[in-house]
Amino acid sequence: MQHEIHPLSDTPLRQQMLANVACFEGIKDEVFNELIGMATAHFAVPIALISILESRRQWFWAQAGMECTQTPLIDSFCATAVAADGFFQVTDAVVDSRFRDNPLVLGNPGIRFYAGYPLVTSEGLTLGMFCIIDTKPRPGLTTEQQNILKQLARIVMLRIRDLRESSYVDGSIGLYNRIKFEKDVEAYRHRGEPVTVIAADMISPTFLNEIVKSLGYPFAAKVMLLLKDKLKRIIGERDLYKISPTRFGFMIPGAGEIEKLIGLLSAEIEQPIECSGIPLQPRAGLGMLRLTPGDWHEDWLRCLVSSADHARNTGKGWVYFEPELDRAQMRAFTLLTSLSKAVERDDQFYLEYQPKVEAASGRLCGVEALLRWRHPELGLISPGEFIPLAEKTPLIRKISAWVARRALEQLADWKAQGFEWQVSINVSAADMADSTFVDQLIGLLREKTIEPHLLEVELTESALITNPELTRVNLERVRDCGIRLAIDDFGTGYSNWTYLRMLPATTVKLDQSFMRDACRDTKDRAVVTSIIQLAQTIGYQVVAEGVETAELYELLKAWGCDQIQGYYVARPMLPNLLVAWAQSR
Ligand code: C2E
Ligand code: CA
Ligand code: CA
């Protein structure tokens, strides 16, 4: 005997369909109300229902005569009726062994008569039932009556189809939307066919926003229409979808002529367009992803969008989805979410301290606090990786606050042990863009009664360029309260001496890149010696970092460099090791 699949089996397709109509639950539909009214009048019944059957319950899209809007599936007549695969009726429930103990028969509303017709989609999926109910037993419906019930059910299905389709359309541009794109792509998977999906980023979201701000919404809408027409001309009869405000999508089934089409597209979409006489340069990017039933990405839409974004940002025109790149983005995402937790606690972050010595005497004169992060699963993560990520978010402010507090606690601790070492902390551009961080530093120094000159903040030269005016105001506050200021990675930025001369800095740290070749390359050597001289003339103290050899140490000493930091002197260390190191010298 062959087992039929029960009409209510939770196949992915049925689930998708139910999820699709679920968004209409609770929204009254006038057409349905009319149909229910017709049914109660025509059949002279107190109850009529449009029932949608989910895996555990039925809910009523429209109804007359019932007090509730849903019932558990187990009590539902419709759940039994649906298995009949066509017209179903019970003339007197009280004498029917399947129903006589049913709470809807024994209690409210006291069902005796039931007749229904299933609601079946064009794909052959059963969504629920259209039914009429009486509280008195009745003779069965005539064939003619059955046909009327069948027609009512059919009208319901046509209406559901229209409702669903209207939720698939982006009316502003006259294209199918993202939901429909997802549905149509998933259909390939259900049919077991390969498909290549393509996302076309036509302009950057920021650019669209600029257009809206300066020229208004109607103009922006017109621009998107022009871009749509352009795409349509190239992709021909294929369906085009609007999948985000600036992004379109389409697909090429099987092993279609992909390369040729993409070549055409990428040449075309970069051409300037003209909208109401204003020329505009699209900055487009095409992302592509090949999906086969055996190699289907669950999150294909995310992958697709991220590759289109990548194509646009890098100016590459078009790229296939690259798992490598995606892994990097996923890692960045994981790190950022874990970072927000790490900064709230004390068991993942810690500081190491790297000594700085006076070049002439070799005496320890200060330490630089360097942040370390031990991720519970990923292990030790370099600040070179997570700091630039954090700097793109407000998290960096919390991280800097954590570092400042911990470094000053350590400083106070060492002071209590009789070591008066200056501690430098690294800060980011964002920390200096408003007064909160400087307030925090001043507060901490007071709280721990630490002389401000024992604290130094290191800020990279490039940070000064981002927001020069605000940064300068805050840096002046730093100077005025006696905290020292070092310019980190000196020599990598613009080195605008006129500007630097006005900065309230006390120290410059020569970038490590100079050190690498300074021993051999005469040009590098000339740059290093003249920067040292120039910086000292302006009144800066000069620190060389990244010094790894005795030879370089001696050269820097001869060139008059004030302080030296680097592996040759010592690597960054935990606080107790640093004390042992200092005492052993
Ligand atoms: P940076 O401020 O330029 O710090 C110097 C980096 O060079 C440190 O790397 C240090 O360990 C390394 N280093 C020191 N001596 C030598 C040497 O002789 N040879 C070589 N090859 N490297 C040496 P680290 O600790 O990995 O930090 C990397 C960067 O991360 C730092 O560069 C800094 O920009 C950032 N960073 C570290 N901690 C913090 C922090 O607490 N806050 C902020 N905002 N940034 C931090
Ligand atoms: Ca530094
Ligand atoms: Ca540096």
Side-chain angles (χ1 to χ4, degrees):
M1 198 178 97
Q2 203 184 347
H3 285 281
E4 292 260 322
I5 299 176
H6 190 272
L8 298 188
S9 298
D10 260 336
T11 59
L13 213 55
R14 184 163 189 276
Q15 272 174 356
Q16 195 187 345
M17 180 71 83
L18 284 173
N20 231 265
V21 297
C23 57
F24 293 103
E25 187 174 351
I27 301 174
K28 295 214 172 6
D29 185 80
E30 285 180 35
V31 175
F32 288 166
N33 288 344
E34 290 295 329
L35 292 176
I36 291 287
M38 265 172 75
T40 48
H42 179 80
F43 294 105
V45 285
I47 299 170
L49 303 168
I50 295 174
S51 157
I52 304 298
L53 298 164
E54 289 185 354
S55 55
R56 290 210 173 76
R57 59 166 194 150
Q58 65 172 341
W59 60 272
F60 307 135
W61 200 332
Q63 58 159 308
M66 283 288 276
E67 270 162 19
C68 55
T69 54
Q70 58 173 339
T71 78
L73 194 70
I74 194 161
D75 301 336
S76 160
F77 273 60
C78 295
T80 310
V82 100
D85 200 20
F87 176 70
F88 177 84
Q89 65 180 341
V90 179
T91 49
D92 191 357
V94 172
V95 298
D96 189 318
S97 60
R98 292 169 299 177
F99 300 107
R100 65 175 170 234
D101 301 325
N102 188 303
L104 301 175
V105 175
L106 296 175
N108 238 343
I111 298 179
R112 297 290 289 271
F113 172 81
Y114 174 101
Y117 213 90
L119 301 169
V120 185
T121 69
S122 55
E123 297 95 331
L125 293 170
T126 307
L127 273 187
M129 294 292 286
F130 188 102
C131 66
I132 52 171
I133 289 171
D134 205 342
T135 47
K136 298 188 295 281
R138 287 170 71 132
L141 298 191
T142 62
T143 319
E144 195 187 331
Q145 285 176 317
Q146 288 179 24
N147 277 335
I148 287 177
L149 203 59
K150 184 176 176 178
Q151 275 172 333
L152 287 171
R154 269 191 53 75
I155 299 173
V156 168
M157 278 325 291
L158 289 173
R159 173 73 183 153
I160 290 180
R161 188 196 65 191
D162 284 352
L163 284 173
R164 278 175 56 214
E165 287 192 350
S166 65
S167 73
Y168 285 153
V169 171
D170 182 332
S172 67
I173 197 159
L175 287 178
Y176 284 133
N177 60 15
R178 194 202 75 229
I179 301 169
K180 172 79 167 153
F181 187 50
E182 287 178 285
K183 180 179 141 57
D184 289 355
V185 171
E186 287 295 331
Y188 279 88
R189 182 190 208 171
H190 296 307
R191 291 197 299 269
E193 293 169 13
V195 65
T196 299
V197 283
I198 295 140
D201 266 21
M202 296 306 281
I203 50 176
S204 81
T206 17
F207 184 47
L208 184 68
N209 194 33
E210 288 303 317
I211 294 180
V212 169
K213 276 197 294 185
S214 50
L215 301 163
Y217 273 108
F219 186 85
K222 212 163 154 189
V223 170
M224 290 314 292
L225 276 172
L226 283 172
L227 292 172
K228 162 192 145 179
D229 291 343
K230 189 174 189 150
L231 271 174
K232 267 267 167 205
R233 270 197 305 280
I234 310 168
I235 68 164
E237 287 307 296
R238 267 172 249 287
D239 275 331
L240 186 65
Y241 303 76
K242 177 92 180 298
I243 57 177
S244 86
T246 56
R247 197 173 284 136
F248 297 88
F250 62 98
M251 53 202 148
I252 302 177
E257 20 41 301
I258 295 166
E259 314 287 318
K260 198 173 129 227
L261 186 71
I262 295 303
L264 254 178
L265 257 178
S266 52
E268 258 303 309
I269 57 178
E270 281 288 351
Q271 297 300 318
I273 55 165
E274 204 183 275
C275 187
S276 308
I278 302 175
L280 293 166
Q281 177 63 59
R283 246 176 75 69
L286 296 172
M288 302 189 294
L289 174 60
R290 194 171 151 69
L291 297 168
T292 58
D295 182 21
W296 198 273
H297 295 250
E298 284 306 326
D299 54 350
W300 59 267
L301 188 56
R302 185 189 65 76
C303 299
L304 184 67
V305 162
S306 107
S307 55
D309 210 47
H310 179 66
R312 188 169 48 73
N313 288 334
T314 55
K316 277 188 182 160
W318 60 274
V319 295
Y320 270 103
F321 169 69
E322 294 164 39
E324 258 325 298
L325 181 78
D326 191 51
R327 267 195 285 280
Q329 280 174 351
M330 295 292 276
R331 178 168 163 101
F333 183 75
T334 313
L335 290 186
L336 276 175
T337 42
S338 329
L339 258 184
S340 53
K341 290 186 206 107
V343 75
E344 299 295 343
R345 40 205 292 171
D346 275 337
D347 58 347
Q348 295 185 20
F349 279 165
Y350 60 97
L351 293 176
E352 284 191 337
Y353 298 86
Q354 187 179 32
K356 282 183 285 184
V357 297
E358 234 169 46
S361 64
R363 196 181 62 86
L364 173 64
C365 49
V367 294
E368 177 179 1
L370 290 160
L371 183 56
R372 300 292 175 251
W373 179 25
R374 194 180 299 284
H375 187 281
E377 283 110 40
L378 302 172
L380 211 53
I381 302 184
S382 152
E385 182 177 12
F386 71 83
I387 294 284
L389 283 178
E391 280 178 334
K392 294 191 185 123
T393 75
L395 265 178
I396 191 67
R397 309 282 297 268
K398 286 191 173 176
I399 294 177
S400 298
W402 190 98
V403 170
R405 169 165 290 279
R406 179 47 62 87
L408 285 170
E409 278 167 7
Q410 188 59 59
L411 206 164
D413 220 35
W414 279 329
K415 253 186 83 175
Q417 295 175 46
F419 307 111
E420 205 158 269
W421 293 326
Q422 187 197 62
V423 174
S424 308
I425 58 171
N426 291 283
V427 303
S428 296
D431 299 319
M432 289 299 152
D434 73 53
S435 56
T436 333
F437 186 66
V438 182
D439 291 342
Q440 278 171 346
L441 286 184
I442 297 172
L444 280 166
L445 288 171
R446 278 213 194 105
E447 183 189 318
K448 311 217 172 290
T449 54
I450 292 169
E451 298 87 322
H453 73 89
L454 286 179
L455 176 66
E456 182 176 64
V457 296
E458 296 189 5
L459 189 67
T460 60
E461 196 184 342
S462 53
L464 304 171
I465 295 149
T466 333
N467 201 340
E469 272 325 298
L470 257 174
T471 306
R472 230 184 88 176
V473 171
N474 286 305
L475 291 181
E476 271 158 12
R477 286 187 65 214
V478 166
R479 176 197 55 198
D480 293 346
C481 76
I483 298 172
R484 296 174 59 88
L485 171 68
I487 300 171
D488 208 347
D489 303 340
F490 189 77
T492 51
Y494 291 102
S495 302
N496 179 339
W497 287 93
T498 328
Y499 177 65
L500 288 175
R501 202 161 44 95
M502 299 187 301
L503 275 176
T506 40
T507 306
V508 293
K509 295 186 81 174
L510 291 183
D511 192 64
Q512 304 197 9
S513 58
F514 290 123
M515 300 306 143
R516 261 165 240 144
D517 299 313
C519 292
R520 266 160 281 125
D521 189 304
T522 43
K523 269 195 203 148
D524 272 309
R525 198 178 277 210
V527 172
V528 173
T529 49
S530 51
I531 290 182
I532 294 175
Q533 276 169 15
L534 206 49
Q536 287 174 337
T537 316
I538 304 175
Y540 291 154
Q541 220 178 24
V542 179
V543 180
E545 63 173 343
V547 178
E548 294 185 356
T549 62
E551 190 193 357
L552 185 57
Y553 186 105
E554 291 307 323
L555 277 174
L556 286 161
K557 190 161 109 182
W559 295 333
C561 182
D562 299 292
Q563 294 179 7
I564 311 256
Q565 180 184 356
Y567 293 171
Y568 173 67
V569 178
R571 289 192 175 245
M573 291 175 266
L574 287 172
N576 52 347
L577 290 178
L578 184 80
V579 170
W581 177 85
Q583 282 169 337
S584 72
R585 271 168 77 90

